[in-house]
Amino acid sequence: MPQRAAGGTGRRVAIVAALAVVVAAFLAVAAERHGFFDLKVYYGAMRHWLRDGGELYDHMKPFSQYGFTYPPFAALVMSPMAVLPWHLAIVVSVTLAVVTSALALWWLVDPISRRAGWTRWFAFAVAACLVAAYEPMRETVNFGQVNTLLLVLVAADLLWLVAAGSPVSPRWRRFAGVGVGLATAIKLTPGIFIVYLLVTRRWRAAVTAAGTATVATLVAAAVAPDASREFWTQALWNTDRVGALDFVSNQSLRGVVARIDPLHPSTVAWLVLVLVTLIWWAWRCRRAVAAGDEATGLALTGVVGCLVSPVTWVHHLVWLLPALILLVDNGLAAARGSRRRRALLGFAVVGYLLLISRLVWIWRESDAANVAGFVGSNAYVWVSLGLLLFLPVRQLDPSARWPAPAAGRPITSR
């Protein structure tokens, strides 16, 4: 028996090593090198503001139209960059991205591996290799973005403090909503999770999240009143600071509409699409929470945030990871050989392959208004819509996220 276990471990190590080599080779060929472009924006803005005495939102990265676009509270969080050497700032950024993405991945994959009876480290290692090839994740690292930090703040809140049946002590659960609030104060788009808490009637957590975001914003206003005034009255409304809406990297519903008619994108059409999307999302989220499936609520809200935001660059699609992981989970839970299993796992594979392919960039300089261009340039939006429409809601008992290692799989999808 020990020999078989050792042999099994050896095979798993070999599989992970081989997969890591394949992924490394893929990244060497396919990964775009962005030279930490966004990190340079943050770094330059912090030094301009805190060391040179300039206005935070007046700084523009040299030879570009891009400046600091986050709320002042984010600037306070990033303020240590003003005293860090550039290369140390890169090390901190990459380390933060790796640690936070690994943490979020562990929270999502470990319950699946335990329910399925898989070797936990092996399941995590395979998932980590696959995520490393995921275009939004590699873009997050190469740009020096903060997406994984925001994902961890929100996931920690929803999966551990808000979720029914969490083993976390009630002493800590009273802080449910703080993570969502901090993420919203750093970058406004996670505010969709406050709406999620309201839609699913977790009033206390919603009030805590909104209160945390408000307090953080007021602290930033007290520390940096001029920057706060400029952000809320001017910089927030200056869409030229974030780039063109029809740019192919904008994989949101707004981007779809803008690519149909870049010169005169229809705001009415966009708002109608957003309204329909939000209605469907709210209905599905309430079903998920009623079923005790907080992870699916998190996943659906991450997807809808990408769809309804006016600007969703490719690296923002890190928020699709929970949905893709849960899609695999639901597929594996279905009966072997069933049509449902094939459909869910097939969708997961196709969606993942699209999201590592850089397919949309074929139309970076091409006409996206013809049929092929319309379909191809919005490929990641179609994946997002598919996840929002078809990610199953699962019926879980309150302890299903934290089963004993020998437990079965108490899940039925519906």
Side-chain angles (χ1 to χ4, degrees):
M1 195 72 171
Q3 288 181 342
R4 283 199 297 272
T9 300
R11 282 194 297 272
R12 294 185 187 100
V13 169
I15 290 171
V16 170
L19 183 58
V21 170
V22 170
V23 169
F26 173 77
L27 293 177
V29 173
E32 188 77 8
R33 306 295 190 269
H34 298 293
F36 300 99
F37 185 96
D38 290 354
L39 185 63
K40 287 178 180 175
V41 173
Y42 311 150
Y43 186 80
M46 293 307 103
R47 293 174 74 86
H48 175 76
W49 180 42
L50 297 173
R51 294 187 59 167
D52 301 337
E55 293 295 331
L56 176 62
Y57 295 100
D58 287 348
H59 176 266
M60 292 288 176
K61 183 181 179 297
F63 311 109
S64 81
Q65 62 179 7
Y66 296 101
F68 194 76
T69 58
Y70 293 174
F73 181 71
L76 296 186
V77 173
M78 297 179 185
S79 59
M81 287 189 193
V83 297
L84 290 180
W86 168 241
H87 289 96
L88 183 56
I90 292 175
V91 170
V92 171
S93 174
V94 173
T95 301
L96 186 63
V98 170
V99 171
T100 52
S101 58
L103 191 57
L105 191 61
W106 178 262
W107 290 341
L108 292 164
V109 171
D110 188 56
I112 300 171
S113 63
R114 294 181 64 166
R115 287 194 296 267
W118 300 337
T119 304
R120 295 163 69 191
W121 72 262
F122 178 68
F124 172 79
V126 170
C129 288
L130 295 176
V131 167
Y134 183 63
E135 184 179 351
M137 184 63 72
R138 63 188 196 241
E139 295 272 287
T140 289
V141 175
N142 286 330
F143 272 116
Q145 264 286 341
V146 298
N147 304 307
T148 56
L149 170 63
L150 303 179
L151 176 59
V152 160
L153 286 172
V154 171
D157 216 341
L158 298 187
L159 299 180
W160 295 99
L161 301 181
V162 173
S166 167
V168 174
S169 166
R171 173 184 174 187
W172 295 106
R173 286 170 65 86
R174 62 184 175 176
F175 295 106
V178 170
V180 169
L182 288 174
T184 302
I186 292 171
K187 187 174 183 178
L188 298 179
T189 48
I192 188 67
F193 288 93
I194 300 179
V195 182
Y196 165 71
L197 292 171
L198 291 170
V199 164
T200 54
R201 300 180 180 178
R202 267 76 66 82
W203 311 117
R204 182 188 177 102
V207 169
T208 300
T212 300
T214 301
V215 169
T217 300
L218 291 175
V219 167
V223 174
D226 292 340
S228 295
R229 187 181 308 109
E230 184 174 0
F231 177 78
W232 294 107
T233 61
Q234 297 182 44
L236 175 61
W237 315 105
N238 184 359
T239 57
D240 291 337
R241 296 173 65 90
V242 297
L245 292 174
D246 64 316
F247 183 44
V248 74
S249 184
N250 184 13
Q251 291 292 303
S252 69
L253 293 172
R254 185 64 159 155
V256 173
V257 172
R259 281 186 286 277
I260 293 174
D261 186 358
L263 295 180
H264 305 97
S266 172
T267 299
V268 172
W270 172 57
L271 290 176
V272 169
L273 289 172
V274 166
L275 179 61
V276 172
T277 300
L278 288 174
I279 291 171
W280 177 262
W281 160 77
W283 175 69
R284 300 216 69 213
C285 283
R286 293 192 64 174
R287 286 187 65 217
V289 170
D293 189 3
E294 197 74 53
T296 296
L298 163 68
L300 290 171
T301 307
V303 171
V304 87
C306 293
L307 286 169
V308 304
S309 174
V311 176
T312 297
W313 302 136
V314 168
H315 58 78
H316 294 152
L317 298 178
V318 162
W319 288 99
L320 300 189
L321 268 178
L324 288 170
I325 291 169
L326 293 178
L327 194 64
V328 173
D329 185 22
N330 280 278
L332 294 173
R336 289 183 179 274
S338 66
R339 181 178 300 176
R340 177 185 181 83
R341 184 184 179 100
R342 290 194 299 270
L344 292 175
L345 292 180
F347 181 19
V349 170
V350 171
Y352 173 77
L353 291 177
L354 283 174
L355 286 163
I356 71 171
S357 67
R358 290 187 56 81
L359 175 69
V360 298
W361 296 100
I362 293 174
W363 289 273
R364 180 171 185 164
E365 306 293 343
S366 304
D367 182 11
N370 57 53
V371 174
F374 179 74
V375 173
S377 66
N378 299 306
Y380 300 170
V381 179
W382 311 141
V383 175
S384 298
L385 286 170
L387 291 169
L388 183 64
L389 289 170
F390 301 118
L391 180 65
V393 169
R394 307 164 304 166
Q395 184 69 52
L396 284 85
D397 64 61
S399 62
R401 260 194 57 80
W402 299 273
R409 193 175 179 85
I411 297 178
T412 58
S413 299
R414 64 180 186 177

